Amino acid sequence: MDNKEIVVSGIRSTGNLHLGNYFGALRNFVKMQNDYDCRFFIADLHALTTNPDPKELHTSVKSIVTEYLAAGIDPEKATIFVQSDVPEVSELYLLLNMHVGIGELMRTASFKDKARKALGIKADADNDDNIENEIIGADSNKRVNAGLLTYPTLMAVDILIQKAHKVPVGKDQEQHLELTRRFARRFNSFYNTDLFPEPENYNFGKAAVKIPGLDGSGKMGKSEGNCLYLIDEDKVLRKKVMRAVTDEGPKEPNSPVSQPVQNLFSLMELTSAPETVQQFKDAYSDCSIRYGDLKKQLAEDILNITRPIRERIMELRDNDEYIGKVLRQGAERARYYASQTLKEAREVMGIRKFY
Ligand code: TYM
């Protein structure tokens, strides 16, 4: 693996993987493993920021490793590990936090979003500026935990401790990556070192993607309750796609496309053959489109991608011995690199023994 650029990415263990995770991250993991020194992990410490049920957290770690393997990540090519198996991450997280501002963390979009959820406040422009006051004023039952605030530090450490150059993530993680670069620069300049490279997002020369939900709103996400899962059975997936929100249909040629319909086209562009997409776009332009046909086609094309993955998940999921071996080997490799970086970081910060 020497001399190859280092790639790091992770997915939180909060349930099963959906098409947003697949097209935003996992598909790139699989493609990158041949050309890069890849280290992919299950972010169980990040999952703790939303206080999951311990049993569910535990189950989800196992299902995500299984999904990684089923999607085609090869443990002989890439390192696969569980974040909490690398305790060096937690120590560097403490050290790096000494150079991170509370203000910059509070301004992060994902923090504001999660803080609002914890406090039960609706998102709108009017309360955006007040969120800080709400957080400080919240009683202990509705607290916004400190782990949520320092989430970006932990993510930066995942990346920096492996000295990663490239980080394949979806669009929603771009702000976190920007912070990672900023923290790396700040640390390097404060200690006059070049310890941390500045990582960049990577999506095969294209911009990062945002996979929409099919409920007409924003992105596909677990908390939005609008996910198409890799493990969805054919029947379940078809039903979800057939229920996708559309509109009344174009009334005149070349009408603008509404957001919900655009969402269907966006998914189709990722899953269907270019001729098929064109055929439906032409049908939209000349008003002959039937959304039912579009959805049927889309469901089948999604299933062509997810079905083989689901089948491999079924084969692998009870093979605890194999999965255990993969994770032990992965943890060992990840710790090897992480402990070197941690040692260097302690050294430059002045934590050295003279006794
Ligand atoms: P998480 O678990 O929310 O999502 C995992 C990956 O899936 C991508 N993703 C999407 N991409 C496009 N469209 C969507 N609708 C969509 N939903 C999810 C995310 O962009 C992400 O790439 N903070 C990270 C986990 C993490 C991490 C890291 C990632 C922790 N440490 C270090 C990279 C490097 C997260 O919450 O991902």
Side-chain angles (χ1 to χ4, degrees):
M1 293 202 187
D2 285 338
N3 299 327
K4 285 184 177 173
E5 276 195 304
I6 297 167
V7 172
V8 163
S9 196
I11 299 184
R12 277 174 304 146
S13 42
T14 51
N16 289 106
L17 300 188
H18 53 76
L19 284 191
N21 300 135
Y22 182 74
F23 288 113
L26 188 54
R27 185 177 65 150
N28 284 340
F29 296 1
V30 178
K31 283 206 245 171
M32 293 177 97
Q33 64 183 343
N34 294 317
D35 301 320
Y36 298 94
D37 174 352
C38 292
R39 306 170 193 175
F40 301 126
F41 64 97
I42 295 107
D44 58 341
L45 298 177
H46 276 103
L48 283 174
T49 57
T50 45
N51 302 140
D53 174 78
K55 246 202 201 135
E56 275 165 28
L57 178 75
H58 181 77
T59 313
S60 172
V61 169
K62 189 173 158 195
S63 48
I64 293 185
V65 196
T66 313
E67 287 167 320
Y68 276 6
L69 295 167
I73 301 181
D74 177 352
E76 295 310 316
K77 294 181 183 161
T79 299
I80 305 174
F81 64 101
V82 180
Q83 186 184 30
S84 61
D85 274 343
V86 183
E88 289 79 6
V89 164
S90 301
E91 186 175 336
L92 189 60
Y93 163 63
L94 183 146
L95 299 180
L96 189 64
N97 258 331
M98 306 305 166
H99 290 277
V100 171
I102 298 176
E104 58 193 340
L105 293 174
M106 286 187 89
R107 288 192 295 274
T108 313
S110 61
F111 172 70
K112 285 190 182 176
D113 207 39
K114 291 204 167 120
R116 260 190 227 107
K117 275 189 189 132
L119 297 170
I121 307 173
K122 274 217 174 103
D124 71 54
D126 289 345
N127 67 32
D128 209 48
D129 291 338
N130 277 333
I131 186 91
E132 285 87 358
N133 292 336
E134 297 275 355
I135 292 168
I136 292 168
D139 64 36
S140 60
N141 290 328
K142 271 194 175 174
R143 70 195 169 275
V144 177
N145 76 58
L148 271 183
L149 183 67
T150 53
Y151 186 113
T153 316
L154 182 56
M155 176 156 164
V157 166
D158 292 326
I159 297 166
L160 300 178
I161 207 164
Q162 301 287 340
K163 300 191 180 177
H165 305 103
K166 293 192 160 55
V167 183
V169 282
K171 198 165 175 47
D172 60 316
Q173 296 297 314
E174 277 190 328
Q175 193 180 22
H176 288 152
L177 217 50
E178 189 53 52
L179 284 172
T180 303
R181 283 191 284 273
R182 200 198 290 169
F183 299 160
R185 268 198 303 277
R186 188 180 293 160
F187 187 99
N188 286 348
S189 121
F190 189 89
Y191 295 108
N192 196 18
T193 170
D194 56 2
L195 185 62
F196 298 130
E198 283 183 41
E200 55 176 46
N201 194 355
Y202 191 72
N203 182 30
F204 288 88
K206 294 191 191 143
V209 295
K210 174 180 154 187
I211 306 302
L214 293 184
D215 48 0
S217 58
K219 67 163 190 167
M220 185 177 293
K222 275 168 215 153
S223 46
E224 282 74 17
N226 60 5
C227 295
L228 304 174
Y229 290 101
L230 295 179
I231 50 148
D232 278 343
E233 304 256 344
D234 291 15
K235 232 169 68 189
V236 174
L237 195 128
R238 283 195 189 105
K239 208 165 153 192
K240 286 184 182 173
V241 175
M242 293 314 286
R243 277 205 310 249
V245 174
T246 51
D247 55 22
E248 291 173 345
K251 297 273 181 288
E252 44 191 80
N254 303 316
S255 305
V257 181
S258 68
Q259 192 57 54
V261 175
Q262 180 52 47
N263 291 348
L264 284 167
F265 277 127
S266 300
L267 264 186
M268 197 165 221
E269 274 162 11
L270 287 162
T271 53
S272 307
E275 313 81 75
T276 310
V277 182
Q278 198 53 49
Q279 180 199 325
F280 282 99
K281 284 197 166 162
D282 292 345
Y284 185 89
S285 298
D286 67 18
C287 304
S288 65
I289 193 159
R290 293 205 317 216
Y291 290 141
D293 294 345
L294 170 83
K295 290 177 183 178
K296 260 191 209 145
Q297 178 75 44
L298 178 62
E300 293 319 307
D301 292 336
I302 292 174
L303 283 169
N304 281 337
I305 296 172
T306 58
R307 196 184 293 117
I309 299 178
R310 185 187 356 124
E311 284 167 3
R312 280 196 294 276
I313 293 172
M314 298 308 158
E315 282 164 27
L316 281 166
R317 72 171 173 190
D318 292 321
N319 199 339
D320 285 2
E321 205 182 306
Y322 175 63
I323 295 172
K325 195 175 133 222
V326 167
L327 290 181
R328 277 192 300 276
Q329 173 185 302
E332 199 180 311
R333 283 195 217 153
R335 283 198 76 177
Y336 171 77
Y337 299 112
S339 58
Q340 281 180 0
T341 312
L342 176 62
K343 196 165 153 248
E344 290 169 311
R346 289 177 63 123
E347 188 77 24
V348 296
M349 292 177 89
I351 307 176
R352 348 187 156 101
K353 284 203 181 355
F354 57 87
Y355 45 91

